[in-house]
């Protein structure tokens, strides 16, 4: 029984020594420092889909179990904080009594031999006057005690003993800061998750339908969440990201956004944004407080800080001109609203339009490097027309104006995302409408430039495109093209018929897939590689000539006058060929041209209850005091021993440096008796 008890005490002592050791605490601090670096470099507490897009499935699967996407609230981080509090507290409890004894002690029992063993000591004959010693010590700022024993008088003096308190303040600061971190890390919620009483909601539900297991009451001691409120709207909850789900945090009040203000620089970038808000009583709707919130100027109410974090769209009414890409070139008006969805029928199929945000300002760098410009043309036909869509400036920051982002989802659930701009885009004295498309969220948008006519509308392009894709019109276009080519006679009818057939074939190939289809046709026709470039140039000239006649046919069918083919209109025609070819990869049966909007702005707020904030501030103050005591206070101890007509002065300090040498020399001159002058030979005689 005694051996078991000894073994138990031995293990307990070993555990105590481990937890209270400086090495253990330093190890924990090192791990926390590394974790803090990760939390600083890696953006924290984002929706997990953003991390999956950024890092890919492999690294996401590696980082997610480690909790690296929310380091400061992860279980292992909070556990390290708990162990650090225990370790540093035990260190303080273990060393504080001895440190306090040392601070209170004057060490007045120092022996003659121990004083002589000190590096800084000196002896002199004679004994100085007691009054002079006490006055000198007091003048130098020492506190001292006097001990008389058997004819030996010992002065034990000290100053700067508060330097030892730096250890206490610094270690206490670590404990206090960690406690504040544990409070703000919402340790109670983590414990409730471990016990299963709370669990994050993984489904995309309206907040009113979130079950109680995923809701947090107003008594939750700490939280930090976000909410977006449109102008005129009210919010009484915030959403807390929790891994791949979220919690709904009820607020003790309601937050209403009266008006949002934003100011912009000349480039369109935001210069200042602020929100006029009201705090409402949830029970009766009474206004409790009104204020304006700006960046770095939060509103604090009922212990909750409300920060201005972002701004955006709040559900704006939108107007589109719908151009059916597989039907007649006529526009239809479509009414919609951002951040909503509505059905769409096109080409005999059912789709769902899912609108995202309206962005009024879009600052983009429209410059391209040489390598990026060369990738515009993916085959020999597009290479010949690359100048129609290349941007020459290397750095060209421009405000592209309002844009609407939306998804077109088919009945099978597959979605293609689009980004359409409302304002015309100007490049090389030509105007375009930009429409971006992407099939994966992780990919950048690929843009199609839709050329605009003299009336700054896409109507002429849409008529020309419909004509180029209508096989029934190819004979008429080929006839007109051949008539111009063989104008003046001199060629047989057989050659003219062959030319018309070639023209119709070129139109058919282009109408089936654009320039890539023409390129594939050269390969399928087994044109030798050495001759493909010249054949491609011939086909391109035929297509360019046919496009002019196609434009005339399109105008005539629409009852519009013919367009004179000058340099600007020829550029429009070539741009139309490029856009028509690009539309084959567009992936939508319609083009939705934004034509108007009524902006409804929304403000993004971050609300935080941080009871540990004041505690962390206290810890920082203690840390500053501790650093000051350790590095700027100097502890000095001095002993003056008088006995048998001789006086011994000894001194030590917490730092042995040149300053100690200077202090010792000064105190030696002040406290030791002057040596008697040596007698000269004349005096002896």
């Amino acid at each position: 029984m005694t051996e078991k008890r000894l073994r138990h005490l031995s293990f307990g002592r070993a555990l105590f020594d481990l937890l209270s050791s400086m090495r253990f605490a330093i190890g924990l601090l090192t791990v926390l420092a590394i974790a803090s670096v990760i939390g600083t470099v890696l953006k924290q507490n984002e929706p997990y889909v953003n991390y999956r897009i950024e890092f890919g499935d492999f690294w996401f699967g590696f980082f997610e179990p480690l909790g690296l996407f929310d380091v400061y609230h992860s279980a292992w981080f909070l556990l390290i904080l708990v162990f650090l509090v225990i370790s540093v507290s035990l260190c303080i409890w273990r060393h504080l009594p001895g440190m306090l004894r040392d601070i209170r002690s004057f060490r007045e029992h120092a022996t003659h031999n121990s004083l002589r063993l000190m590096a800084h000591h000196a002896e002199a004959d004679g004994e100085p006057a007691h009054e002079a010693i006490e006055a000198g010590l007091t003048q130098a700022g020492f506190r001292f005690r006097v001990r008389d024993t058997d004819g030996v008088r010992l002065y034990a003096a000290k100053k700067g003993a508060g330097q030892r308190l730096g250890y206490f303040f610094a270690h206490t600061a670590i404990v206090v800061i960690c406690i504040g971190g544990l409070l703000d890390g919402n340790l109670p919620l983590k414990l409730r998750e471990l016990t299963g009483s709370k669990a994050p909601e993984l489904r995309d539900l309206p907040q009113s339908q979130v079950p109680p297991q995923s809701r947090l009451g107003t008594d939750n001691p700490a939280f930090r969440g976000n909410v977006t409120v449109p102008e005129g709207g009210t919010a009484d909850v915030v959403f807390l990201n929790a891994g791949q789900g979220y919690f709904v945090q009820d607020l003790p009040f309601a937050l209403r956004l009266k008006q949002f203000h934003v100011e912009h620089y000349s480039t369109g970038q935001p210069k200042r944004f602020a929100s006029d808000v009201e705090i409402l009583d949830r029970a009766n709707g009474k206004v409790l407080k009104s204020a304006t919130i700006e960046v770095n100027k939060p509103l604090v109410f009922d212990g909750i800080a409300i920060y201005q974090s972002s701004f955006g769209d709040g559900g704006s009414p939108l107007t589109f001109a719908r151009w059916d890409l597989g039907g007649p070139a006529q526009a239809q008006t479509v009414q919609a609203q951002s951040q909503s969805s509505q059905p769409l029928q096109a080409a005999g199929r059912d789709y769902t339009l899912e609108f995202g945000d309206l962005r009024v300002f879009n600052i983009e760098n429209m410059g391209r490097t040489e390598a990026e410009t060369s990738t515009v043309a993916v085959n020999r036909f597009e290479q010949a027309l690359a100048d129609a869509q290349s941007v020459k400036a290397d750095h060209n920051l421009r405000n592209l104006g309002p844009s609407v982002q939306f998804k077109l989802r088919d009945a099978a659930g597959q979605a293609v995302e689009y980004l359409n701009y409302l304002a015309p885009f100007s490049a090389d004295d030509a105007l375009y409408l930009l429409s971006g498309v992407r099939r994966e969220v992780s990919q950048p948008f690929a843009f199609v430039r839709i050329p605009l006519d003299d009336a700054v509308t896409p109507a002429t392009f849409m008529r020309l495109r419909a004509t180029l894709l209508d096989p029934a019109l190819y004979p008429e276009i080929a006839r007109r093209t051949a008539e111009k080519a063989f104008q003046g006679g001199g060629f047989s009818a057989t050659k003219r018929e062959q030319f018309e057939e070639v023209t119709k074939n070129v139109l058919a190939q282009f109408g089936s897939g654009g320039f890539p289809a023409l390129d594939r046709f050269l390969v399928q026709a087994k044109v030798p590689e050495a001759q493909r470039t010249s054949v491609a140039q011939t086909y391109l000239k035929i297509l360019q000539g046919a496009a002019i006649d196609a434009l005339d046919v399109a105008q005539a069918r629409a009852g519009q006058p013919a367009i004179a083919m000058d340099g600007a209109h020829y550029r429009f025609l070539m741009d139309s060929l490029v856009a028509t070819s690009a539309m084959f990869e567009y992936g939508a049966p319609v083009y939705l041209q934004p034509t108007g909007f009524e902006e409804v702005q929304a403000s993004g707020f971050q609300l935080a209850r941080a009871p540990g904030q004041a505690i962390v501030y206290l810890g920082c103050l203690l840390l500053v005091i501790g650093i000051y005591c350790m590095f700027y206070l100097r502890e000095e101890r001095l002993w003056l021993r008088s006995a048998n007509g001789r006086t011994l002065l000894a001194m030590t300090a917490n730092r042995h440096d040149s300053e100690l040498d200077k202090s010792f020399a000064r105190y030696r001159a002040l406290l030791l008796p002057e040596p008697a002058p040596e007698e000269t030979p004349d005096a002896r005689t």
Side-chain angles (χ1 to χ4, degrees):
M1 184 70 179
T2 304
E3 292 181 359
K4 291 183 179 180
R5 184 178 180 183
L6 287 175
R7 283 200 300 268
H8 175 72
L9 292 175
S10 178
F11 172 77
R13 182 64 187 184
L15 180 62
F16 173 81
D17 290 340
L18 173 64
L19 294 177
S20 62
S21 67
M22 189 63 67
R23 288 178 298 178
F24 184 74
I26 291 176
L28 293 177
L29 284 172
T30 302
V31 175
L32 285 180
I34 296 174
S36 299
V37 170
I38 297 174
T40 302
V41 174
L42 183 61
K43 195 172 183 180
Q44 298 288 287
N45 210 22
E46 289 284 298
Y48 270 29
V49 63
N50 295 354
Y51 297 116
R52 190 182 294 275
I53 293 171
E54 181 175 358
F55 297 107
D57 290 335
F58 175 79
W59 287 110
F60 176 84
F62 179 74
F63 291 153
E64 191 269 336
L66 298 178
L68 300 185
F69 303 138
D70 193 8
V71 170
Y72 304 114
H73 296 89
S74 61
W76 60 266
F77 187 89
L78 297 178
L79 186 63
I80 291 176
L81 286 181
V82 171
F83 272 104
L84 188 60
V85 168
I86 295 173
S87 177
V88 178
S89 299
L90 290 177
C91 285
I92 295 174
W93 184 76
R94 182 178 184 180
H95 296 96
L96 184 61
M99 181 182 65
L100 293 178
R101 285 195 302 269
D102 191 59
I103 291 175
R104 290 193 298 264
S105 172
F106 283 82
R107 303 181 189 175
E108 64 270 23
H109 296 283
T111 64
H112 181 263
N113 289 335
S114 64
L115 296 177
R116 295 191 65 184
L117 290 175
M118 293 183 182
H120 291 78
H121 75 275
E123 290 187 80
D125 292 330
E127 297 183 12
H130 303 321
E131 296 79 3
I133 294 176
E134 295 176 0
L137 292 175
T138 303
Q139 179 184 355
F142 284 97
R143 294 185 299 119
F144 60 89
R145 286 183 181 178
V146 183
R147 180 171 177 266
D148 285 312
T149 306
D150 299 331
V152 177
R153 188 176 183 87
L154 178 66
Y155 288 89
K158 66 178 180 179
K159 69 176 180 179
Q163 188 272 342
R164 294 295 184 93
L165 291 175
Y167 170 91
F168 170 75
F169 284 121
H171 285 69
T172 303
I174 295 175
V175 174
V176 172
I177 291 173
C178 289
I179 291 175
L182 287 171
L183 291 177
D184 285 351
N186 211 349
L187 185 59
L189 176 59
K190 292 295 181 182
L191 295 177
R192 296 169 75 179
E193 287 187 67
L194 289 176
T195 59
S197 61
K198 290 293 180 183
E201 178 59 57
L202 303 178
R203 298 167 295 176
D204 187 9
L205 299 175
Q207 67 89 8
S208 58
Q209 299 179 15
V210 174
Q213 190 181 24
S214 301
R215 301 186 72 96
L216 304 176
T218 57
D219 58 345
N220 187 23
F223 62 83
R224 183 177 296 272
N226 300 281
V227 66
T228 300
V229 185
E231 286 182 324
T234 304
D236 55 6
V237 299
V238 293
F239 297 90
L240 315 182
N241 288 332
Q244 302 194 47
Y246 61 92
F247 286 101
V248 175
Q249 171 66 60
D250 292 319
L251 299 175
F253 52 79
L255 177 66
R256 176 194 292 166
L257 176 62
K258 293 173 56 180
Q259 190 174 6
F260 179 77
H261 310 276
V262 60
E263 299 176 6
H264 295 86
Y265 292 103
S266 59
T267 60
Q269 293 179 329
K271 177 172 63 175
R272 172 186 176 271
F273 51 95
S275 301
D276 296 334
V277 301
E278 291 179 337
I279 304 297
L280 308 179
D281 190 304
R282 293 186 61 167
N284 53 31
K286 180 181 178 181
V287 177
L288 302 177
K289 189 172 184 177
S290 299
T292 298
I293 303 175
E294 298 183 43
V295 177
N296 298 325
K297 295 181 181 178
L299 168 65
V300 180
F301 184 84
D302 197 16
I304 298 176
I306 307 172
Y307 300 90
Q308 176 75 64
S309 61
S310 63
F311 66 93
D313 182 34
S316 303
L318 307 171
T319 304
F320 294 90
R322 168 178 168 168
W323 299 91
D324 286 301
L325 300 181
Q330 295 179 352
Q332 300 176 357
T333 300
V334 175
Q335 303 290 336
Q337 183 174 347
S338 62
Q339 300 179 347
S340 67
S341 61
Q342 63 188 59
L344 175 74
Q345 285 188 338
R349 301 178 63 184
D350 293 329
Y351 296 90
T352 301
L353 276 172
E354 301 173 355
F355 290 99
D357 291 343
L358 165 71
R359 293 184 59 185
V360 179
F361 290 91
N362 289 273
I363 310 300
E364 301 289 348
N365 182 7
M366 301 307 297
R368 290 184 182 174
T369 64
E370 183 177 353
E372 291 172 328
T373 303
S374 65
T375 60
V376 171
V378 296
N379 56 60
R380 53 181 58 83
F381 289 96
E382 289 184 344
Q383 184 66 49
L385 294 176
D387 62 315
Q389 51 182 359
S390 64
V391 180
K392 296 179 180 179
D394 291 334
H395 298 283
N396 188 13
L397 286 176
R398 302 174 63 175
N399 177 19
L400 299 183
S403 68
V404 180
Q405 194 165 329
F406 62 91
K407 293 180 180 180
L408 186 63
R409 192 177 301 276
D410 60 21
Q414 299 297 317
V416 181
E417 193 169 11
Y418 297 90
L419 176 61
N420 291 355
Y421 288 86
L422 184 147
F425 169 76
S426 176
D428 298 333
D429 298 325
L431 295 177
Y432 308 87
L433 285 177
L434 293 181
S435 181
V437 57
R438 65 182 179 187
R439 288 167 174 77
E440 296 183 9
V441 180
S442 59
Q443 298 298 321
F445 283 99
F447 285 93
V448 176
R449 294 186 180 186
I450 300 175
L452 301 180
D453 54 24
D454 295 341
V456 197
T457 72
T460 303
F461 163 74
M462 290 298 177
R463 290 195 293 267
L464 175 59
R465 178 184 175 277
T467 301
L468 290 171
L469 301 185
D470 188 353
L473 299 176
Y474 292 164
E476 173 63 17
I477 298 172
R479 184 190 65 77
R480 294 189 180 203
T481 304
E483 183 177 342
K484 291 180 181 179
F486 290 88
Q487 191 174 10
F491 295 93
S492 64
T494 303
K495 289 185 177 180
R496 179 168 177 168
E497 290 177 0
Q498 291 176 348
F499 184 83
E500 288 185 15
E501 288 298 322
V502 172
T503 302
K504 287 190 289 186
N505 190 29
V506 170
L507 289 172
Q509 294 300 327
F510 181 80
S512 66
F515 291 123
L518 276 174
D519 203 46
R520 289 192 298 269
F521 174 72
L522 293 180
V523 178
Q524 294 171 359
K526 298 182 179 179
V527 177
E529 181 66 31
Q531 301 178 13
R532 286 180 187 174
T533 300
S534 61
V535 174
Q537 291 290 339
T538 301
Y539 282 0
L540 183 59
K541 289 179 181 179
I542 294 174
L543 179 62
Q544 289 172 331
I548 298 175
D549 297 302
L551 181 59
D552 292 338
V553 171
Q555 291 293 96
R557 292 181 66 204
Q560 299 292 326
I563 297 176
M565 196 50 57
D566 54 16
H569 291 121
Y570 186 77
R571 167 68 182 271
F572 168 82
L573 197 65
M574 297 303 101
D575 287 341
S576 297
L577 290 177
V578 174
T580 300
S581 177
M583 280 291 188
F584 285 101
E585 298 296 326
Y586 193 63
V590 297
Y591 165 62
L592 294 179
Q593 175 195 353
T595 55
F597 62 89
E598 296 178 14
E599 184 182 13
V600 176
Q601 299 187 99
S603 187
F605 298 103
Q606 184 179 88
L607 286 80
R609 175 183 283 165
Q613 183 177 14
I615 297 176
V616 171
Y617 287 158
L618 174 61
C620 292
L621 177 62
L622 292 175
L623 185 61
V624 171
I625 294 174
I627 292 175
Y628 175 81
C629 290
M630 288 190 293
F631 291 97
Y632 294 96
L633 290 184
R634 183 184 184 86
E635 182 187 21
E636 295 180 345
R637 289 182 178 270
L638 183 145
W639 292 267
L640 194 68
R641 184 178 186 277
S642 300
N644 302 322
R646 289 184 62 82
T647 301
L648 171 63
L649 175 67
M651 184 179 178
T652 187
N654 64 303
R655 289 189 293 273
H656 291 260
D657 50 17
S658 59
E659 185 64 27
L660 177 59
D661 298 334
K662 295 177 182 178
S663 298
F664 180 72
R666 184 169 63 253
Y667 298 141
R668 182 173 58 185
L670 176 66
L671 300 175
L672 281 184
E674 293 286 342
E678 295 184 3
E679 296 182 357
T680 63
D682 294 339
R684 289 195 299 269
T685 59

